[in-house]
CSV table of all heavy atoms in Angstrom, one decimal:
chain,number,residue,atom,x,y,z
V,224,ILE,N,-0.5,-3.4,-1.4
V,224,ILE,CA,-1.5,-4.0,-0.5
V,224,ILE,C,-2.3,-5.1,-1.2
V,224,ILE,O,-2.5,-6.2,-0.7
V,224,ILE,CB,-2.4,-2.9,0.1
V,224,ILE,CG1,-1.6,-1.9,1.0
V,224,ILE,CG2,-3.5,-3.6,0.9
V,224,ILE,CD1,-2.4,-0.7,1.4
V,225,VAL,N,-2.7,-4.8,-2.4
V,225,VAL,CA,-3.4,-5.8,-3.2
V,225,VAL,C,-2.5,-7.0,-3.5
V,225,VAL,O,-2.9,-8.1,-3.4
V,225,VAL,CB,-3.9,-5.2,-4.6
V,225,VAL,CG1,-4.5,-6.3,-5.5
V,225,VAL,CG2,-4.9,-4.1,-4.3
V,226,SER,N,-1.2,-6.7,-3.8
V,226,SER,CA,-0.3,-7.8,-4.1
V,226,SER,C,-0.1,-8.6,-2.9
V,226,SER,O,0.0,-9.9,-3.0
V,226,SER,CB,1.1,-7.1,-4.5
V,226,SER,OG,2.0,-8.1,-4.8
V,227,LEU,N,0.0,-8.0,-1.7
V,227,LEU,CA,0.2,-8.8,-0.5
V,227,LEU,C,-0.9,-9.8,-0.3
V,227,LEU,O,-0.7,-10.9,0.1
V,227,LEU,CB,0.3,-7.8,0.7
V,227,LEU,CG,0.4,-8.5,2.1
V,227,LEU,CD1,1.7,-9.3,2.2
V,227,LEU,CD2,0.4,-7.4,3.2
V,228,THR,N,-2.1,-9.3,-0.6
V,228,THR,CA,-3.3,-10.2,-0.4
V,228,THR,C,-3.3,-11.3,-1.3
V,228,THR,O,-3.5,-12.5,-0.9
V,228,THR,CB,-4.6,-9.3,-0.6
V,228,THR,OG1,-4.6,-8.2,0.3
V,228,THR,CG2,-5.9,-10.2,-0.4
V,229,ILE,N,-3.0,-11.1,-2.6
V,229,ILE,CA,-3.0,-12.1,-3.6
V,229,ILE,C,-1.9,-13.2,-3.4
V,229,ILE,O,-2.2,-14.4,-3.5
V,229,ILE,CB,-2.8,-11.5,-5.0
V,229,ILE,CG1,-4.1,-10.7,-5.4
V,229,ILE,CG2,-2.5,-12.6,-6.1
V,229,ILE,CD1,-3.9,-10.0,-6.8
V,230,TYR,N,-0.7,-12.7,-3.0
V,230,TYR,CA,0.4,-13.6,-2.8
V,230,TYR,C,0.2,-14.4,-1.5
V,230,TYR,O,0.7,-15.6,-1.4
V,230,TYR,CB,1.7,-12.9,-2.8
V,230,TYR,CG,2.2,-12.6,-4.2
V,230,TYR,CD1,2.3,-11.3,-4.6
V,230,TYR,CD2,2.4,-13.6,-5.1
V,230,TYR,CE1,2.7,-11.0,-5.9
V,230,TYR,CE2,2.8,-13.3,-6.4
V,230,TYR,CZ,2.9,-12.0,-6.8
V,230,TYR,OH,3.3,-11.7,-8.1
V,231,ALA,N,-0.5,-13.8,-0.5
V,231,ALA,CA,-0.8,-14.6,0.7
V,231,ALA,C,-1.8,-15.8,0.4
V,231,ALA,O,-1.6,-16.9,0.9
V,231,ALA,CB,-1.5,-13.6,1.7
V,232,ILE,N,-2.7,-15.5,-0.5
V,232,ILE,CA,-3.6,-16.6,-0.9
V,232,ILE,C,-2.9,-17.6,-1.7
V,232,ILE,O,-3.0,-18.8,-1.5
V,232,ILE,CB,-4.8,-16.0,-1.8
V,232,ILE,CG1,-5.7,-15.1,-0.9
V,232,ILE,CG2,-5.6,-17.1,-2.4
V,232,ILE,CD1,-6.7,-14.3,-1.8
V,233,GLN,N,-2.0,-17.2,-2.6
V,233,GLN,CA,-1.2,-18.1,-3.4
V,233,GLN,C,-0.3,-19.0,-2.6
V,233,GLN,O,-0.2,-20.2,-2.8
V,233,GLN,CB,-0.4,-17.4,-4.5
V,233,GLN,CG,0.2,-18.3,-5.5
V,233,GLN,CD,0.9,-17.5,-6.6
V,233,GLN,OE1,0.9,-16.3,-6.6
V,233,GLN,NE2,1.4,-18.2,-7.6
V,234,PHE,N,0.3,-18.4,-1.6
V,234,PHE,CA,1.2,-19.1,-0.7
V,234,PHE,C,0.4,-20.2,0.1
V,234,PHE,O,0.9,-21.3,0.2
V,234,PHE,CB,1.9,-18.2,0.3
V,234,PHE,CG,2.6,-18.9,1.4
V,234,PHE,CD1,3.8,-19.5,1.2
V,234,PHE,CD2,2.0,-19.0,2.7
V,234,PHE,CE1,4.5,-20.1,2.2
V,234,PHE,CE2,2.7,-19.6,3.7
V,234,PHE,CZ,3.9,-20.2,3.5
V,235,GLY,N,-0.7,-19.8,0.6
V,235,GLY,CA,-1.5,-20.7,1.3
V,235,GLY,C,-1.9,-21.9,0.5
V,235,GLY,O,-1.9,-23.1,1.0
Side-chain angles (χ1 to χ4, degrees):
I224 295 171
V225 173
S226 180
L227 176 62
T228 304
I229 291 176
Y230 283 115
I232 294 172
Q233 189 172 2
F234 170 76

